Amino acid sequence: MKLMKRILAIVCTFVMIISMATGVNAVENTSTTATSTPERGKITVTNAIAGEDYKIYKILSLESYDKTAGAYSYKKPGGDWDTFINSDEGQQFFTSNENGYVTLKDTSDKEVRKLAIYAIGYAQKHNITATKTATASVSKSDNATAVFEDLDLGYYVVESTSGTACNITTAAPTAEIQDKHDNPSVTKIITQGGNVNSDGTMNSVNLGETVFFKTTIHVKPGAKNYVLHDSMNENLKFVQVAYVRDNENHEYRQTDDFIVKPDRYSPGNPEDGCTFELSFTDSFYKTYRQDIDTGRLTEITVEYLAYVSEKAPINFAMKNTTWLTYGDKKTKTEKSETETYTYGIPVYKYTGIDTALEGAKFILSTNEQPSESNAIKFNPNGTIYRYSTDQTKGNITLTSGNKGYVNINGLQAGIYYLKETEAPKGYNKIQKPIKIEILSNGKIKVDGVEITGDVKVLNNKGSILPSTGGMGTTLIYVVGSILVLASGIVLFSKRKEGTN
């Protein structure tokens, strides 16, 4: 009996041990199930442009990682990005084994940045759908951010709406990157036309002169939807685009590589009301995509011309403004601007202290010995003389009006010589030409001295001189005769007294 009790106790103990072991196993299984939920990632783009859309692409999957040890295990994600990794472009950056694990050949900032550019270019070229899209919003600190949440762990490249690759990073599980705003820009200068200042931002011209402009587009990797806009003052008359070329010496062909509107090839006016716009074709982006994304193609120059209207205002800035729109949202760059002027010389003819003198006649020349053969021709309108846009026609004589003025308009900065060819009747003509210099800012020097106001030209009256047979000699003869007669009378009187 005692033996039976001992056996029963042993059996009960064994059953209890088995029961406890079964309970522990269940707990462990629960814990394993709980921890097997896939970890999710989050990437935040800081310093973003408010309202701009950002796209994110997963180019590698992150299978596992140990941050403490700095160990990350990447694999090919499948689909289009496997094709990229296996391509000649991808092989510049990645090494992969037969099991699909991938490592970077060079982890330097320069090479990683280059990888981001190539990856975005590949996505655009092959129309790869973004993993996620986010719009940047402004936080309380005025720092716009774009947030991508609920991401698979992996290696991601981020693209802005402008088409530029802003960064590349790993979601493990969170990451923060900064948009460096590597965006395009434009600069404009004047290359020819009249008197151009040293930095090309301003010039002065004669009426009717042709002005040559050059706008440089500073191209950035990932370029897309570039449209150059140019708005001219109404007195700058656009003629045509002459050349479009890049820093790699490629000269672009109209209709094949770019389109100008308005133009004989592309009728119609630009939508934004500018003078003309130039856009690039799909063929251009396909042809030059690799040069753009690798940073070889960095500048595109557009050279074009306009002429100055004969109605152009005097001493007034005629502005020419350029800007670029780009990307899906037609983001606008800062504007670049030039100024074109045409100047005038106000001449005031007077006598005495300040009495206006009418009828004085002049010619104007750039030759220090002015003559009818080298005189500048003008179109007169009362006392206003505007530079003739056709120098085979027009008047060379400039005549002062009843208020003494001769307004000479439509000239570029430079040195001129004003010669009086005929003085008003009774006044002395000025013998030496007057040297007049129009400075680049429109101010005037006369014989080397800067003045304000009018170029004042003084004429003096001539005085009458005595001549033979005139009153001058007659008076002398009369007085002399009287004196002789008086002397004779006195002498005769004295003789008579002596006789007596």
Side-chain angles (χ1 to χ4, degrees):
M1 189 68 177
K2 289 181 179 180
L3 181 59
M4 288 296 293
K5 288 181 178 179
R6 288 177 181 175
I7 292 171
L8 182 60
I10 291 169
V11 171
C12 288
T13 302
F14 180 75
V15 170
M16 185 167 42
I17 291 171
I18 294 296
S19 299
M20 290 176 66
T22 303
V24 170
N25 217 16
V27 171
E28 286 178 358
N29 286 341
T30 302
S31 176
T32 301
T33 302
T35 58
S36 65
T37 303
E39 191 174 15
R40 308 304 293 167
K42 175 183 176 181
I43 294 177
T44 302
V45 181
T46 62
N47 195 38
I49 301 174
E52 189 95 341
D53 288 338
Y54 291 80
K55 298 177 182 178
I56 195 168
Y57 301 86
K58 187 178 78 171
I59 60 177
L60 293 175
S61 296
L62 180 61
E63 186 178 71
S64 64
Y65 67 96
D66 183 340
K67 279 191 175 181
T68 304
Y72 296 82
S73 178
Y74 295 102
K75 294 194 74 174
K76 294 178 181 178
D80 291 320
W81 290 108
D82 280 13
T83 305
F84 171 69
I85 293 167
N86 295 328
S87 69
D88 290 340
E89 287 182 335
Q91 290 299 305
Q92 297 179 62
F93 308 102
F94 298 110
T95 299
S96 56
N97 63 22
E98 66 277 5
N99 297 318
Y101 289 99
V102 181
T103 57
L104 278 177
K105 291 181 178 179
D106 188 342
T107 58
S108 66
D109 289 344
K110 180 180 178 181
E111 282 301 301
V112 172
R113 178 64 176 164
K114 185 178 177 182
L115 168 58
I117 292 168
Y118 270 68
I120 290 301
Y122 182 84
Q124 292 174 355
K125 184 176 180 180
H126 294 86
N127 297 316
I128 297 176
T129 302
T131 305
K132 281 185 180 292
T133 300
T135 301
S137 58
V138 181
S139 67
K140 292 181 181 179
S141 62
D142 287 338
N143 178 26
T145 58
V147 181
F148 301 94
E149 297 183 288
D150 195 28
L151 299 171
D152 294 335
L153 300 190
Y155 197 49
Y156 289 87
V157 63
V158 180
E159 174 195 14
S160 71
T161 306
S162 65
T164 57
C166 65
N167 222 318
I168 190 167
T169 193
T170 296
T174 61
E176 185 176 291
I177 59 177
Q178 186 179 51
D179 186 352
K180 296 179 181 178
H181 304 318
D182 195 15
N183 295 324
S185 60
V186 294
T187 53
K188 172 205 283 291
I189 61 170
I190 298 166
T191 58
Q192 294 181 53
N195 190 314
V196 184
N197 70 350
S198 58
D199 65 3
T201 60
M202 186 183 85
N203 73 324
S204 62
V205 295
N206 296 323
L207 294 179
E209 185 107 30
T210 298
V211 181
F212 292 80
F213 300 95
K214 182 172 77 172
T215 292
T216 301
I217 303 172
H218 302 283
V219 181
K220 299 301 178 182
K224 63 190 296 190
N225 298 337
Y226 278 16
V227 180
L228 179 69
H229 305 260
D230 195 276
S231 180
M232 298 182 182
N233 177 278
E234 63 182 358
N235 289 291
L236 292 174
K237 304 298 183 181
F238 173 63
V239 178
Q240 65 178 19
V241 172
Y243 298 102
V244 181
R245 51 170 69 97
D246 63 32
N247 61 294
E248 291 282 288
N249 292 321
H250 300 128
E251 189 165 317
Y252 301 151
R253 295 173 58 87
Q254 192 164 350
T255 70
D256 291 338
D257 299 312
F258 67 91
I259 295 171
V260 177
K261 185 186 290 187
D263 187 86
R264 66 180 184 274
Y265 300 111
S266 305
N269 295 317
E271 294 179 1
D272 62 357
C274 63
T275 304
F276 78 89
E277 66 180 28
L278 185 150
S279 58
F280 296 91
T281 65
D282 291 340
S283 175
F284 161 81
Y285 289 108
K286 288 179 181 178
T287 303
Y288 298 103
R289 172 55 61 195
Q290 187 172 6
D291 285 351
I292 293 171
D293 291 344
T294 56
R296 288 197 297 269
L297 196 164
T298 58
E299 292 183 349
I300 297 174
T301 57
V302 181
E303 298 179 49
Y304 49 103
L305 54 149
Y307 69 88
V308 178
S309 165
E310 61 183 10
K311 296 180 180 179
I314 306 304
N315 301 334
F316 180 84
M318 292 175 279
K319 295 184 178 182
N320 185 3
T321 307
T322 296
W323 66 96
L324 185 78
T325 55
Y326 61 95
D328 294 335
K329 289 197 171 183
K330 299 181 180 179
T331 305
K332 184 184 292 187
T333 65
E334 290 188 4
K335 296 179 178 180
S336 182
E337 191 170 78
T338 60
E339 295 182 346
T340 295
Y341 291 83
T342 187
Y343 296 127
I345 301 174
V347 177
Y348 177 61
K349 186 69 172 175
Y350 73 104
T351 189
I353 296 176
D354 193 26
T355 303
L357 196 56
E358 182 181 6
K361 294 181 179 181
F362 303 90
I363 58 173
L364 186 74
S365 177
T366 55
N367 191 305
E368 61 183 3
Q369 297 295 329
S371 66
E372 291 187 1
S373 62
N374 60 38
I376 299 170
K377 294 180 174 63
F378 296 89
N379 294 321
N381 182 10
T383 59
I384 297 174
Y385 294 83
R386 292 180 70 87
Y387 182 91
S388 176
T389 56
D390 182 355
Q391 281 295 296
T392 64
K393 301 177 182 178
N395 291 1
I396 62 171
T397 301
L398 313 169
T399 305
S400 61
N402 58 9
K403 293 184 179 179
Y405 282 101
V406 179
N407 291 293
I408 308 170
N409 291 339
L411 301 173
Q412 69 182 44
I415 296 175
Y416 300 88
Y417 296 89
L418 183 69
K419 178 180 179 180
E420 187 173 30
T421 58
E422 183 180 321
K425 291 182 179 180
Y427 291 84
N428 298 329
K429 184 176 72 174
I430 297 173
Q431 299 300 311
K432 183 181 177 181
I434 301 169
K435 180 182 177 182
I436 301 172
E437 182 180 1
I438 304 177
L439 304 179
S440 60
N441 59 6
K443 292 183 178 181
I444 293 175
K445 284 184 176 181
V446 176
D447 291 328
V449 179
E450 187 171 322
I451 65 167
T452 58
D454 305 323
V455 175
K456 293 187 175 183
V457 181
L458 174 65
N459 269 125
N460 292 316
K461 286 182 180 180
S463 58
I464 192 166
L465 298 176
S467 59
T468 303
M471 282 297 295
T473 57
T474 301
L475 185 61
I476 293 172
Y477 294 153
V478 170
V479 172
S481 299
I482 292 173
L483 290 175
V484 170
L485 181 62
S487 298
I489 293 172
V490 171
L491 181 61
F492 179 78
S493 298
K494 285 184 177 182
R495 284 180 178 180
K496 187 176 181 180
E497 288 176 359
T499 303
N500 293 329

